[in-house]
Protein backbone atom coordinates (compact mmCIF):
# COMPACT_ATOMS: atom_id res chain seq x y z
CA UNK A 1 0.00 0.00 0.00
CA UNK A 2 1.63 3.23 -1.17
CA UNK A 3 0.54 6.77 -0.43
CA UNK A 4 -0.29 8.97 -3.41
CA UNK A 5 1.34 12.41 -3.51
CA UNK A 6 -1.43 14.87 -4.38
CA UNK A 7 0.61 18.07 -3.98
CA UNK A 8 4.18 18.84 -2.93
CA UNK A 9 4.52 17.24 0.52
CA UNK A 10 0.82 16.32 0.76
CA UNK A 11 -0.25 12.68 0.47
CA UNK A 12 -3.49 10.76 0.16
CA UNK A 13 -3.19 8.03 2.79
CA UNK A 14 -6.86 7.01 3.00
CA UNK A 15 -8.46 3.63 2.43
CA UNK A 16 -10.50 2.17 -0.40
CA UNK A 17 -13.54 0.13 0.61
CA UNK A 18 -14.26 -1.72 -2.62
CA UNK A 19 -16.89 -3.96 -1.10
CA UNK A 20 -19.21 -1.74 0.92
CA UNK A 21 -22.66 -1.88 -0.66
CA UNK A 22 -24.76 -0.45 2.17
CA UNK A 23 -23.62 2.68 3.97
CA UNK A 24 -26.11 3.07 6.78
CA UNK A 25 -29.00 2.54 4.41
CA UNK A 26 -27.48 4.26 1.35
CA UNK A 27 -26.67 1.91 -1.53
CA UNK A 28 -23.01 2.23 -2.44
CA UNK A 29 -22.91 0.22 -5.66
CA UNK A 30 -19.37 1.41 -6.44
CA UNK A 31 -17.98 1.07 -2.91
CA UNK A 32 -16.44 4.10 -1.27
CA UNK A 33 -13.21 5.59 -0.01
CA UNK A 34 -12.39 7.04 3.39
CA UNK A 35 -9.92 9.76 2.55
CA UNK A 36 -7.17 10.82 4.93
CA UNK A 37 -4.25 13.11 4.19
CA UNK A 38 -0.68 13.42 5.42
CA UNK A 39 1.17 16.73 5.34
CA UNK A 40 4.95 16.63 5.59
CA UNK A 41 6.18 19.84 7.18
CA UNK A 42 8.08 20.77 10.33
CA UNK A 43 5.00 19.46 12.14
CA UNK A 44 3.88 16.30 10.41
CA UNK A 45 0.11 16.31 10.30
CA UNK A 46 -2.56 13.72 9.60
CA UNK A 47 -5.94 15.04 8.46
CA UNK A 48 -8.78 12.67 9.35
CA UNK A 49 -8.56 8.92 9.56
CA UNK A 50 -10.62 5.99 8.28
CA UNK A 51 -13.12 3.36 9.47
CA UNK A 52 -11.53 1.32 12.22
CA UNK A 53 -11.28 -1.86 10.14
CA UNK A 54 -9.16 0.02 7.56
CA UNK A 55 -6.60 1.26 10.09
CA UNK A 56 -3.83 -0.98 8.79
CA UNK A 57 -4.37 0.11 5.19
CA UNK A 58 -3.96 3.74 6.23
CA UNK A 59 -0.97 3.02 8.48
CA UNK A 60 0.77 1.17 5.65
CA UNK A 61 0.29 4.17 3.36
CA UNK A 62 1.62 6.54 6.00
CA UNK A 63 4.58 4.23 6.55
CA UNK A 64 5.35 4.37 2.81
CA UNK A 65 6.15 8.08 3.34
CA UNK A 66 7.36 8.39 6.93
CA UNK A 67 7.54 6.54 10.23
CA UNK A 68 4.00 7.04 11.65
CA UNK A 69 5.54 7.75 15.07
CA UNK A 70 6.78 11.04 13.60
CA UNK A 71 3.23 12.40 13.27
CA UNK A 72 2.98 15.52 15.45
CA UNK A 73 -0.61 16.60 14.93
CA UNK A 74 -3.89 15.00 13.98
CA UNK A 75 -6.81 17.02 12.65
CA UNK A 76 -10.32 15.61 13.02
CA UNK A 77 -12.65 17.47 10.70
CA UNK A 78 -15.62 15.25 11.56
CA UNK A 79 -16.51 12.77 14.29
CA UNK A 80 -18.55 10.24 12.30
CA UNK A 81 -16.90 6.85 12.65
CA UNK A 82 -15.98 6.45 8.98
CA UNK A 83 -13.42 9.19 9.66
CA UNK A 84 -12.70 8.79 13.34
CA UNK A 85 -13.02 5.05 13.92
CA UNK A 86 -9.28 4.54 13.52
CA UNK A 87 -8.32 7.42 15.81
CA UNK A 88 -7.77 5.50 19.08
CA UNK A 89 -5.63 2.87 17.38
CA UNK A 90 -3.63 5.48 15.48
CA UNK A 91 -3.01 7.50 18.62
CA UNK A 92 -2.09 4.39 20.56
CA UNK A 93 0.38 3.46 17.80
CA UNK A 94 2.05 6.84 17.38
CA UNK A 95 1.98 8.14 20.94
CA UNK A 96 -0.85 8.79 23.33
CA UNK A 97 -0.29 12.52 23.71
CA UNK A 98 -0.45 13.44 20.05
CA UNK A 99 -2.82 16.41 19.96
CA UNK A 100 -6.04 15.93 18.01
CA UNK A 101 -7.35 19.30 16.79
CA UNK A 102 -11.09 19.53 16.22
CA UNK A 103 -13.97 22.00 16.48
CA UNK A 104 -15.59 22.79 19.83
CA UNK A 105 -18.42 20.41 19.04
CA UNK A 106 -15.84 17.92 17.80
CA UNK A 107 -14.26 17.95 21.25
CA UNK A 108 -17.62 17.13 22.78
CA UNK A 109 -18.53 14.49 20.21
CA UNK A 110 -15.12 12.79 20.07
CA UNK A 111 -15.19 12.58 23.88
CA UNK A 112 -18.62 10.96 23.68
CA UNK A 113 -17.24 8.40 21.25
CA UNK A 114 -13.84 7.67 22.75
CA UNK A 115 -13.84 8.92 26.32
CA UNK A 116 -10.44 10.20 27.41
CA UNK A 117 -8.41 8.17 24.92
CA UNK A 118 -7.57 11.27 22.85
CA UNK A 119 -5.68 14.47 23.65
CA UNK A 120 -8.34 16.76 22.17
CA UNK A 121 -7.79 20.43 21.45
CA UNK A 122 -10.65 22.59 20.24
CA UNK A 123 -10.01 25.26 17.63
CA UNK A 124 -12.19 28.27 16.92
CA UNK A 125 -13.67 29.26 13.59
CA UNK A 126 -10.93 30.93 11.55
CA UNK A 127 -8.14 29.85 13.93
CA UNK A 128 -4.77 29.06 12.41
CA UNK A 129 -2.17 26.44 13.24
CA UNK A 130 1.38 26.74 11.96
CA UNK A 131 2.91 23.53 10.63
CA UNK A 132 6.23 25.23 9.79
CA UNK A 133 6.24 26.36 6.18
CA UNK A 134 2.51 25.90 5.97
CA UNK A 135 -0.42 27.32 7.89
CA UNK A 136 -3.62 25.39 8.45
CA UNK A 137 -6.77 27.42 8.92
CA UNK A 138 -9.98 25.92 10.32
CA UNK A 139 -13.56 26.81 9.46
CA UNK A 140 -16.54 25.62 11.46
CA UNK A 141 -19.12 24.06 9.15
CA UNK A 142 -21.78 23.08 11.66
CA UNK A 143 -24.45 20.72 10.36
CA UNK A 144 -22.55 20.01 7.16
CA UNK A 145 -23.45 17.54 8.13
CA UNK A 146 -22.85 17.00 11.87
CA UNK A 147 -22.58 19.63 14.63
CA UNK A 148 -18.83 18.96 14.81
CA UNK A 149 -18.03 19.31 11.10
CA UNK A 150 -15.27 21.65 10.03
CA UNK A 151 -13.07 22.36 7.02
CA UNK A 152 -9.28 22.70 7.14
CA UNK A 153 -7.39 24.81 4.60
CA UNK A 154 -3.70 25.05 3.77
CA UNK A 155 -3.21 28.70 2.98
CA UNK A 156 0.09 28.35 1.13
CA UNK A 157 -0.96 25.38 -1.04
CA UNK A 158 -4.58 26.55 -1.44
CA UNK A 159 -5.91 23.11 -0.54
CA UNK A 160 -9.30 22.76 1.14
CA UNK A 161 -10.00 19.60 3.15
CA UNK A 162 -13.78 19.65 3.07
CA UNK A 163 -14.77 16.65 5.17
CA UNK A 164 -18.03 15.15 3.82
CA UNK A 165 -18.89 18.18 1.67
CA UNK A 166 -18.22 17.70 -2.07
CA UNK A 167 -17.77 13.95 -1.48
CA UNK A 168 -19.06 10.95 -3.36
CA UNK A 169 -19.36 7.29 -2.45
CA UNK A 170 -17.21 6.03 -5.29
CA UNK A 171 -14.24 3.68 -5.38
CA UNK A 172 -12.39 3.35 -8.68
CA UNK A 173 -8.99 3.58 -10.30
CA UNK A 174 -9.29 7.37 -10.56
CA UNK A 175 -8.32 9.79 -7.77
CA UNK A 176 -8.98 13.14 -9.48
CA UNK A 177 -11.89 14.77 -11.29
CA UNK A 178 -9.93 15.12 -14.53
CA UNK A 179 -9.38 11.35 -14.60
CA UNK A 180 -13.08 10.49 -14.44
CA UNK A 181 -14.78 13.57 -15.94
CA UNK A 182 -18.54 14.01 -15.92
CA UNK A 183 -19.07 10.38 -14.84
CA UNK A 184 -18.45 11.42 -11.23
CA UNK A 185 -21.33 13.90 -11.13
CA UNK A 186 -24.18 11.37 -10.63
CA UNK A 187 -22.26 10.04 -7.61
CA UNK A 188 -21.81 13.57 -6.24
CA UNK A 189 -25.51 14.25 -6.77
CA UNK A 190 -26.55 11.02 -5.04
CA UNK A 191 -24.33 11.98 -2.11
CA UNK A 192 -25.85 15.45 -1.89
CA UNK A 193 -29.43 14.17 -2.19
CA UNK A 194 -29.04 11.46 0.44
CA UNK A 195 -26.70 13.08 2.96
CA UNK A 196 -26.91 16.84 2.52
CA UNK A 197 -30.34 17.68 1.05
CA UNK A 198 -31.84 18.66 4.41
CA UNK A 199 -28.85 20.89 5.18
CA UNK A 200 -29.09 22.89 1.93
CA UNK A 201 -29.86 26.17 3.78
CA UNK A 202 -26.76 25.78 5.98
CA UNK A 203 -24.61 24.82 2.99
CA UNK A 204 -25.85 27.86 1.10
CA UNK A 205 -24.81 30.04 4.04
CA UNK A 206 -21.40 28.39 4.18
CA UNK A 207 -20.81 28.83 0.45
CA UNK A 208 -21.72 32.50 0.76
CA UNK A 209 -19.28 32.83 3.65
CA UNK A 210 -16.49 31.07 1.74
CA UNK A 211 -17.11 33.19 -1.34
CA UNK A 212 -16.92 36.28 0.88
CA UNK A 213 -13.57 35.13 2.26
CA UNK A 214 -12.25 34.92 -1.29
CA UNK A 215 -10.10 31.90 -0.49
CA UNK A 216 -8.12 30.84 -3.50
CA UNK A 217 -8.71 27.09 -3.89
CA UNK A 218 -6.63 24.92 -6.20
CA UNK A 219 -7.57 21.52 -4.80
CA UNK A 220 -10.60 20.32 -2.83
CA UNK A 221 -10.09 17.12 -0.87
CA UNK A 222 -13.34 15.65 0.45
CA UNK A 223 -13.37 12.66 2.78
CA UNK A 224 -15.03 10.37 0.21
CA UNK A 225 -14.31 9.70 -3.43
CA UNK A 226 -12.29 11.66 -5.95
CA UNK A 227 -10.48 14.96 -5.34
CA UNK A 228 -11.36 18.11 -7.28
CA UNK A 229 -8.21 19.59 -8.85
CA UNK A 230 -9.10 20.24 -12.48
CA UNK A 231 -11.87 22.69 -11.79
CA UNK A 232 -12.61 22.90 -8.06
CA UNK A 233 -14.96 25.82 -8.67
CA UNK A 234 -17.25 23.53 -10.64
CA UNK A 235 -18.35 21.40 -7.69
CA UNK A 236 -18.76 24.54 -5.57
CA UNK A 237 -20.96 26.09 -8.28
CA UNK A 238 -22.92 22.85 -8.61
CA UNK A 239 -23.53 22.78 -4.85
CA UNK A 240 -24.71 26.39 -5.06
CA UNK A 241 -27.26 25.34 -7.68
CA UNK A 242 -28.37 22.27 -5.73
CA UNK A 243 -28.83 24.38 -2.59
CA UNK A 244 -31.48 26.42 -4.41
CA UNK A 245 -33.69 23.29 -4.33
CA UNK A 246 -35.29 24.25 -7.61
CA UNK A 247 -36.64 21.12 -9.29
CA UNK A 248 -36.74 20.50 -13.03
CA UNK A 249 -40.13 21.83 -14.00
CA UNK A 250 -41.10 18.90 -16.24
CA UNK A 251 -39.82 15.98 -14.16
CA UNK A 252 -42.30 13.74 -12.35
CA UNK A 253 -41.72 10.44 -10.56
CA UNK A 254 -44.25 7.76 -9.82
CA UNK A 255 -42.92 5.83 -6.84
CA UNK A 256 -44.77 2.71 -5.75
CA UNK A 257 -44.84 -0.85 -4.59
CA UNK A 258 -47.37 -3.46 -5.53
CA UNK A 259 -48.70 -6.81 -4.26
CA UNK A 260 -50.53 -8.31 -7.25
CA UNK A 261 -49.64 -5.76 -9.97
CA UNK A 262 -52.75 -3.60 -9.56
CA UNK A 263 -50.91 -0.61 -8.01
CA UNK A 264 -48.24 -1.23 -10.64
CA UNK A 265 -50.82 -1.03 -13.45
CA UNK A 266 -52.10 2.21 -11.91
CA UNK A 267 -48.53 3.58 -11.70
CA UNK A 268 -47.84 2.87 -15.34
CA UNK A 269 -51.06 4.53 -16.50
CA UNK A 270 -50.30 7.58 -14.34
CA UNK A 271 -46.84 7.76 -15.94
CA UNK A 272 -48.48 7.53 -19.39
CA UNK A 273 -50.86 10.36 -18.47
CA UNK A 274 -47.98 12.53 -17.27
CA UNK A 275 -45.96 11.75 -20.41
CA UNK A 276 -48.95 12.58 -22.63
CA UNK A 277 -48.76 16.11 -21.23
CA UNK A 278 -45.07 16.39 -22.02
CA UNK A 279 -43.66 15.46 -18.62
CA UNK A 280 -40.40 13.61 -18.20
CA UNK A 281 -42.04 10.88 -16.13
CA UNK A 282 -41.02 7.44 -15.01
CA UNK A 283 -42.11 4.79 -12.52
CA UNK A 284 -39.82 3.61 -9.72
CA UNK A 285 -40.77 0.35 -8.05
CA UNK A 286 -39.53 0.28 -4.49
CA UNK A 287 -38.37 -3.32 -4.53
CA UNK A 288 -36.51 -2.80 -7.84
CA UNK A 289 -34.95 0.57 -7.03
CA UNK A 290 -33.05 1.29 -3.83
CA UNK A 291 -34.51 4.04 -1.63
CA UNK A 292 -31.32 6.09 -2.03
CA UNK A 293 -31.60 5.96 -5.84
CA UNK A 294 -35.26 6.93 -5.66
CA UNK A 295 -34.36 9.88 -3.44
CA UNK A 296 -31.66 10.95 -5.91
CA UNK A 297 -34.28 11.06 -8.67
CA UNK A 298 -36.84 12.70 -6.38
CA UNK A 299 -34.35 15.43 -5.44
CA UNK A 300 -34.87 17.39 -8.66
CA UNK A 301 -38.35 16.17 -9.59
CA UNK A 302 -41.15 18.75 -9.66
CA UNK A 303 -43.78 16.21 -8.65
CA UNK A 304 -43.76 12.91 -6.82
CA UNK A 305 -46.73 10.59 -7.00
CA UNK A 306 -46.56 7.80 -4.45
CA UNK A 307 -48.58 4.60 -4.59
CA UNK A 308 -49.15 1.90 -2.01
CA UNK A 309 -51.38 -1.12 -1.81
CA UNK A 310 -53.23 -1.45 1.48
CA UNK A 311 -51.72 -4.20 3.61
CA UNK A 312 -53.38 -5.07 6.92
CA UNK A 313 -55.14 -1.68 7.01
CA UNK A 314 -51.86 0.20 6.53
CA UNK A 315 -49.03 1.08 4.20
CA UNK A 316 -46.99 -1.47 2.31
CA UNK A 317 -43.67 -1.72 4.27
CA UNK A 318 -41.37 -0.51 1.49
CA UNK A 319 -43.55 2.55 0.95
CA UNK A 320 -43.49 3.31 4.69
CA UNK A 321 -39.70 2.93 4.60
CA UNK A 322 -39.38 5.31 1.66
CA UNK A 323 -41.70 7.93 3.15
CA UNK A 324 -39.80 7.87 6.45
CA UNK A 325 -36.50 8.29 4.61
CA UNK A 326 -37.80 11.08 2.38
CA UNK A 327 -39.41 12.94 5.27
CA UNK A 328 -36.06 13.12 7.06
CA UNK A 329 -34.52 14.83 4.03
CA UNK A 330 -37.08 17.68 4.30
CA UNK A 331 -38.11 17.90 0.62
CA UNK A 332 -39.33 21.29 -0.61
CA UNK A 333 -40.84 22.92 -3.69
CA UNK A 334 -42.63 19.82 -4.94
CA UNK A 335 -46.14 18.86 -5.89
CA UNK A 336 -47.44 15.49 -4.76
CA UNK A 337 -50.27 13.02 -5.02
CA UNK A 338 -51.03 9.51 -3.81
CA UNK A 339 -52.76 6.42 -5.11
CA UNK A 340 -53.07 2.68 -4.64
CA UNK A 341 -55.19 -0.41 -5.03
CA UNK A 342 -56.89 -2.24 -2.16
CA UNK A 343 -59.07 -5.20 -1.34
CA UNK A 344 -61.64 -4.19 1.26
CA UNK A 345 -60.48 -1.38 3.56
CA UNK A 346 -58.20 0.78 1.38
CA UNK A 347 -56.49 3.10 3.87
CA UNK A 348 -53.06 3.29 2.20
CA UNK A 349 -53.57 6.06 -0.43
CA UNK A 350 -54.98 8.38 2.25
CA UNK A 351 -52.15 7.52 4.65
CA UNK A 352 -49.56 8.18 1.93
CA UNK A 353 -51.21 11.51 1.16
CA UNK A 354 -51.17 12.51 4.82
CA UNK A 355 -47.46 11.72 5.06
CA UNK A 356 -46.65 13.74 1.95
CA UNK A 357 -48.72 16.64 3.26
CA UNK A 358 -46.93 16.47 6.62
CA UNK A 359 -43.66 16.91 4.73
CA UNK A 360 -44.99 20.22 3.42
CA UNK A 361 -45.51 19.08 -0.16
CA UNK A 362 -48.40 20.58 -2.09
CA UNK A 363 -51.08 17.95 -2.73
CA UNK A 364 -52.62 18.52 -6.14
CA UNK A 365 -55.20 15.69 -6.17
CA UNK A 366 -57.25 13.71 -3.68
CA UNK A 367 -55.87 10.18 -3.16
CA UNK A 368 -56.83 7.87 -6.03
CA UNK A 369 -58.03 4.41 -5.00
CA UNK A 370 -58.81 1.34 -7.05
CA UNK A 371 -60.45 -1.77 -5.59
CA UNK A 372 -58.78 -5.06 -6.54
CA UNK A 373 -57.86 -4.98 -10.25
CA UNK A 374 -58.32 -1.82 -12.34
CA UNK A 375 -60.58 -2.39 -15.38
CA UNK A 376 -60.44 -0.28 -18.53
CA UNK A 377 -62.38 2.51 -16.89
CA UNK A 378 -60.12 2.38 -13.84
CA UNK A 379 -57.00 2.57 -16.01
CA UNK A 380 -58.40 5.51 -17.92
CA UNK A 381 -59.02 7.18 -14.56
CA UNK A 382 -55.33 6.71 -13.69
CA UNK A 383 -54.30 8.13 -17.06
CA UNK A 384 -56.45 11.20 -16.47
CA UNK A 385 -55.07 11.48 -12.91
CA UNK A 386 -51.57 11.65 -14.45
CA UNK A 387 -52.71 14.25 -16.97
CA UNK A 388 -54.25 16.44 -14.29
CA UNK A 389 -51.07 16.28 -12.19
CA UNK A 390 -49.07 17.33 -15.26
CA UNK A 391 -51.44 20.25 -15.81
CA UNK A 392 -50.99 21.28 -12.18
CA UNK A 393 -47.20 21.20 -12.70
CA UNK A 394 -47.54 23.45 -15.73
FE1 LIG B 1 -18.35 10.40 5.86
FE2 LIG B 1 -20.43 12.02 7.98
O1 LIG B 1 -19.13 10.79 7.50
Amino acid sequence: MKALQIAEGVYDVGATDWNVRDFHGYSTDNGSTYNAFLIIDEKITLIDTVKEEFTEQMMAKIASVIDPKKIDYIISNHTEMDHSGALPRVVHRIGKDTPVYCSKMGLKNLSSHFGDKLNLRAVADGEELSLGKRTLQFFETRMIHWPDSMFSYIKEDKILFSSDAFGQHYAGPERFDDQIGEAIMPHAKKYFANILWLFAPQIKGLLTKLTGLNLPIELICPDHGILWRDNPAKIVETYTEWCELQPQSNKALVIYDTMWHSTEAMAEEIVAGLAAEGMDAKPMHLRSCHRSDVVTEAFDAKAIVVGSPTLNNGLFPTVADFLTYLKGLKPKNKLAASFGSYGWSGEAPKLVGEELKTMGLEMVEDPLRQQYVPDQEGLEGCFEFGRRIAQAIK
Side-chain angles (χ1 to χ4, degrees):
M1 292 285 175
K2 291 247 186 282
L4 173 72
Q5 181 159 279
I6 58 172
E8 186 64 36
V10 183
Y11 295 83
D12 170 8
V13 293
T16 303
D17 188 349
W18 296 103
N19 297 328
V20 64
R21 290 292 178 270
D22 184 314
F23 193 96
H24 58 48
Y26 174 139
S27 65
T28 47
D29 303 334
N30 291 81
S32 192
T33 69
Y34 314 116
N35 299 342
F37 304 95
L38 185 71
I39 304 168
I40 304 298
D41 206 315
E42 287 164 31
K43 295 293 184 186
I44 293 169
T45 302
L46 176 65
I47 298 192
D48 286 322
T49 66
V50 295
K51 268 187 183 173
E52 186 185 12
E53 58 266 42
F54 291 90
T55 308
E56 293 313 316
Q57 193 182 134
M58 182 184 70
M59 294 306 279
K61 287 186 182 175
I62 294 171
S64 74
V65 181
I66 199 161
D67 177 356
K69 283 194 166 58
K70 292 188 173 168
I71 291 174
D72 298 291
Y73 298 153
I74 299 175
I75 313 297
S76 173
N77 280 329
H78 178 29
T79 303
E80 197 165 8
M81 298 277 257
D82 47 331
H83 311 297
S84 72
L87 263 175
R89 281 172 63 183
V90 171
V91 166
H92 179 75
R93 190 84 65 86
I94 67 180
K96 199 171 182 322
D97 289 331
T98 311
V100 177
Y101 293 91
C102 56
S103 67
K104 287 192 190 97
M105 289 304 291
L107 189 141
K108 200 170 159 207
N109 289 354
L110 286 165
S111 299
S112 298
H113 280 69
F114 304 114
D116 61 359
K117 289 183 192 146
L118 307 173
N119 175 15
L120 299 171
R121 294 190 191 176
V123 293
D125 183 43
E127 192 171 327
E128 296 184 357
L129 177 69
S130 173
L131 307 184
K133 295 187 184 68
R134 296 176 180 82
T135 311
L136 265 184
Q137 188 169 22
F138 306 104
F139 298 102
E140 264 191 10
T141 60
R142 276 193 194 203
M143 301 320 300
I144 305 171
H145 70 126
W146 273 27
D148 49 67
S149 299
M150 71 175 191
F151 287 0
S152 301
Y153 174 69
I154 308 180
K155 293 173 87 166
E156 294 75 8
D157 296 318
K158 306 176 183 67
I159 302 176
L160 184 70
F161 300 94
S162 62
S163 187
D164 277 336
F166 312 124
Q168 337 88 46
H169 283 307
Y170 175 80
E174 314 87 350
R175 289 306 292 137
F176 296 99
D177 52 349
D178 49 282
Q179 295 167 334
I180 187 167
E182 283 300 307
I184 198 60
M185 295 313 289
H187 300 284
K189 181 179 170 189
K190 182 172 178 178
Y191 194 94
F192 188 95
N194 283 271
I195 307 281
L196 301 172
W197 184 351
L198 69 163
F199 300 117
Q202 288 92 334
I203 298 170
K204 192 175 170 181
L206 171 73
L207 295 176
T208 305
K209 177 180 157 181
L210 284 182
T211 307
L213 288 172
N214 247 333
L215 294 182
I217 297 173
E218 291 185 357
L219 173 62
I220 296 179
C221 300
D223 271 355
H224 297 287
I226 65 97
L227 318 179
W228 307 93
R229 73 175 173 190
D230 182 46
N231 184 6
K234 181 183 168 182
I235 189 65
V236 176
E237 283 159 14
T238 305
Y239 263 48
T240 306
E241 277 170 34
W242 287 337
C243 285
E244 293 300 324
L245 303 179
Q246 289 304 323
Q248 295 176 32
S249 59
N250 70 338
K251 182 175 176 182
L253 279 190
V254 179
I255 301 157
Y256 73 99
D257 210 328
T258 193
M259 290 171 72
W260 294 104
H261 301 293
S262 289
T263 304
E264 181 172 66
M266 293 177 79
E268 290 175 3
E269 283 299 325
I270 294 168
V271 167
L274 285 159
E277 290 290 325
M279 292 295 124
D280 174 9
K282 71 173 176 183
M284 295 192 89
H285 171 237
L286 286 165
R287 274 177 292 157
S288 307
C289 308
H290 193 275
R291 72 171 84 78
S292 51
D293 292 317
V294 179
V295 150
T296 308
E297 289 286 348
F299 173 68
D300 58 4
K302 181 66 185 174
I304 57 170
V305 188
V306 181
S308 175
T310 297
L311 177 66
N312 302 332
N313 303 111
L315 297 174
F316 198 75
T318 51
V319 178
D321 172 292
F322 170 72
L323 290 172
T324 300
Y325 190 65
L326 180 67
K327 189 177 186 175
L329 293 167
K330 299 186 169 53
K332 286 188 175 53
N333 305 336
K334 293 188 196 305
L335 308 183
S338 63
F339 68 98
S341 82
Y342 67 102
W344 49 96
S345 58
E347 293 90 340
K350 184 164 174 263
L351 293 171
V352 170
E354 285 167 359
E355 277 298 303
L356 294 168
K357 203 169 171 184
T358 304
M359 293 179 209
L361 304 188
E362 184 187 341
M363 305 305 292
V364 292
E365 285 282 324
D366 290 334
L368 179 68
R369 302 195 313 163
Q370 173 67 55
Q371 191 170 25
Y372 290 116
V373 180
D375 58 10
Q376 190 56 34
E377 189 183 343
L379 292 174
E380 282 169 14
C382 294
F383 184 86
E384 289 306 320
F385 185 73
R387 285 181 77 124
R388 289 198 303 276
I389 294 168
Q391 284 156 8
I393 295 171
K394 289 176 185 172

